[in-house]
Amino acid sequence: QVQLVESGGGLVQPGESLRLACTASGSILVINTMGWYRQPPGKQRELVAAATSGGSTTYADSVKGRFTIFRDNAKKMVYLQMNSLKPEDTAVYYCNAEISSTSWPYRRNTYWGQGTQVTVSS
């Protein structure tokens, strides 16, 4: 089975920066899209940023210019560099990936990390 594990969350003050990391492991054949979602308190989970294996990226309007997603395909990792953090960025951040496996289910499937808490507060 494929696993995604996030790290890098924590408590920071407004204006500070944080870098999240996600590592994929397990029965992986190909990693297609990787991305980050977040779920603020009392709200639905939303897309923050995503990146294809070829390097194309997309961002939520609320984070454009502040967040950067990038991948290290050799290490099966994806990062989210978060700059100029705001209180409204407070959320549980989840790593997401579309992966084809070397074992069941084989076909491309969606996988999620366990989430890492990011709290932006003074």
Side-chain angles (χ1 to χ4, degrees), residues 44-109:
Q44 292 184 309
R45 189 174 300 185
E46 63 183 7
L47 175 68
V48 178
T52 68
S53 59
S56 297
T57 59
T58 185
Y59 296 90
D61 288 340
S62 59
V63 307
K64 286 181 179 178
R66 299 189 298 120
F67 290 12
T68 303
I69 185 171
F70 57 100
R71 295 173 57 165
D72 185 333
N73 291 330
K75 294 182 178 180
K76 300 182 178 65
M77 296 186 69
V78 62
Y79 304 85
L80 185 67
Q81 178 66 43
M82 303 183 293
N83 297 328
S84 302
L85 283 162
K86 304 175 180 179
E88 48 263 48
D89 294 319
T90 296
V92 178
Y93 284 71
Y94 296 90
C95 181
N96 166 269
E98 296 288 333
I99 296 173
S100 299
S101 304
T102 58
S103 61
W104 189 92
Y106 300 101
R107 64 171 290 170
R108 184 183 299 175
N109 196 27

Side-chain angles (χ1 to χ4, degrees), residues 25-40:
S25 62
S27 304
I28 298 170
L29 177 64
V30 173
I31 301 178
N32 301 110
T33 303
M34 299 188 81
W36 292 92
Y37 287 70
R38 68 185 181 187
Q39 187 165 15

